[in-house]
Amino acid sequence: MNGTVLVTSRSFGRGRADCERRLAAAGLRVVRGSTAHDLDALRPVLADAAAWIAGTAPITDEHLAAAPGLRVVARYGVGVDNVDLRAAAARGVTVTNTPGANSEAVADLAVALLLAALRGVVAGDRDVRGGDWRTRRGRELGALTVGVAGYGRIGRGVARRVRGFGAEVLAYDPYAPPGAADGVRPAGNLAELAERCDAVSLHAPGGAVLVDAAWLARLRPGAVLVNTARADLVDEAAVAAALRDGRLAAYAADTLAGEGRHDGARAGGPLLAPDLADRVVVTPHIGAQTVEAVDRMGQGATDAVLDALAGRTPAHVVPAPA
């Protein structure tokens, strides 16, 4: 086996597993390229690439046209919304992902963000560093009803974790509703989560706004919203307004609109306004960034490359939309 493997994921091979050595042992040359997928910067490598282990930046038909020998795009992670699947299929390029590899890591972070929001952890740390030891009164997770919007692997992981605290869980997913054995109550729609829950955690795929002014108006006063999924699930201006009028007590997220631009621009937007600093907690898209998840994603992407280049069908092929 020979050829070049382009790697544009920042964390590929940064865990304990030596994925680059596996590729080199198979006779492949690993070349790292622009994590922003800047086309001009990638052209020289794409011209020779047989495989591409890709991060979350866009992969367009123009990228694929610059890679005549490309046989597989192995998405390092789950989401493929930034990959032109139709163009890949038309050019005979297999696209794969690594479902489940980061589910436990993201579920952990969702609960960490929820607890941080409920107890004012970040604001409290900021106060103490400024010499202010006044107490903040929070809420106990075990006393709440937690809504889970999207009941796939991550949503189920969050439900399992918060139930361990004693919280009741209400989940909505039109495609994967909770079963009777889960100990989780099904919701009939997203509005029901707003009306019946003290906190809601978002775990739906991107592409449509779920949290808008109308949904926020249904919330119980003092509710907490957590988003470790996609920034485009929420209307950020509406969330900022709900924080200011007290309908929403806190917003905690692992992503913001603009974060996905991959152009190095500083993130901004309504949720980073100074007056909301005590009620908004944001992490820099670290949901999948654990040693264990990095290893699982790296090994899954490496397996896909080796299988595709050897003529075998990879485990997790993503089909083009009909």
Side-chain angles (χ1 to χ4, degrees):
M1 188 181 298
N2 55 61
T4 297
V5 180
L6 169 62
V7 175
T8 57
S9 165
R10 288 183 178 86
S11 60
F12 175 78
R14 306 301 193 208
R16 294 192 181 100
D18 195 342
C19 297
E20 289 196 31
R21 180 175 293 182
R22 285 184 62 200
L23 294 169
L28 298 167
R29 182 174 71 103
V30 176
V31 177
R32 291 190 177 262
S34 164
T35 58
H37 294 184
D38 178 83
L39 183 54
D40 289 337
L42 292 180
R43 280 187 193 279
V45 186
L46 285 172
D48 295 326
W52 185 353
I53 296 177
T56 57
I59 296 177
T60 66
D61 187 45
E62 287 76 15
H63 288 91
L64 300 172
L70 190 67
R71 295 170 60 185
V72 58
V73 170
R75 256 289 289 120
Y76 178 85
V78 180
V80 293
D81 41 314
N82 274 346
V83 180
D84 189 332
L85 296 174
R86 289 190 177 89
R91 294 181 181 278
V93 177
T94 299
V95 177
T96 68
N97 64 353
T98 57
N102 60 16
S103 299
E104 298 300 303
V106 178
D108 277 357
L109 181 64
V111 176
L113 288 171
L114 176 56
L115 288 167
L118 289 171
R119 298 305 303 270
V121 171
V122 176
D125 175 83
R126 188 184 303 115
D127 287 348
V128 169
R129 292 175 188 277
D132 184 353
W133 283 83
R134 286 177 297 178
T135 59
R136 291 173 176 269
R137 182 167 292 123
R139 302 182 71 185
E140 296 176 14
L141 177 52
L144 306 184
T145 297
V146 177
V148 176
Y151 202 63
R153 291 182 180 90
I154 299 171
R156 291 195 298 271
V158 170
R160 187 172 67 250
R161 285 162 173 77
V162 299
R163 288 187 70 232
F165 282 81
E168 294 188 25
V169 180
L170 191 65
Y172 172 70
D173 191 319
Y175 305 106
D182 293 347
V184 172
R185 292 180 293 155
N189 51 49
L190 284 170
E192 189 175 348
L193 295 186
E195 293 163 355
R196 297 176 59 186
C197 296
D198 304 292
V200 176
S201 190
L202 303 178
H203 303 288
V209 175
L210 302 184
V211 174
D212 56 14
W215 187 88
L216 290 162
R218 294 175 176 269
L219 281 175
R220 292 182 177 184
V224 172
L225 181 63
V226 177
N227 182 11
T228 55
R230 293 286 186 268
D232 64 2
L233 293 176
V234 306
D235 178 336
E236 293 186 352
V239 169
L243 287 164
R244 290 190 174 99
D245 69 21
R247 174 66 57 175
L248 192 62
Y251 181 68
D254 192 35
T255 181
L256 290 177
E259 176 265 338
R261 287 167 55 188
H262 299 278
D263 60 2
R266 184 174 179 177
L271 292 171
L272 294 183
D275 67 305
L276 297 179
D278 285 355
R279 287 164 285 172
V280 175
V281 178
V282 183
T283 49
H285 209 148
I286 60 172
Q289 297 303 316
T290 64
V291 171
E292 295 80 6
V294 164
D295 281 347
R296 287 190 292 266
M297 289 187 292
Q299 290 170 334
T302 299
D303 288 344
V305 167
L306 294 175
D307 284 341
L309 297 187
R312 300 184 295 266
T313 301
H316 300 292
V317 175
V318 181

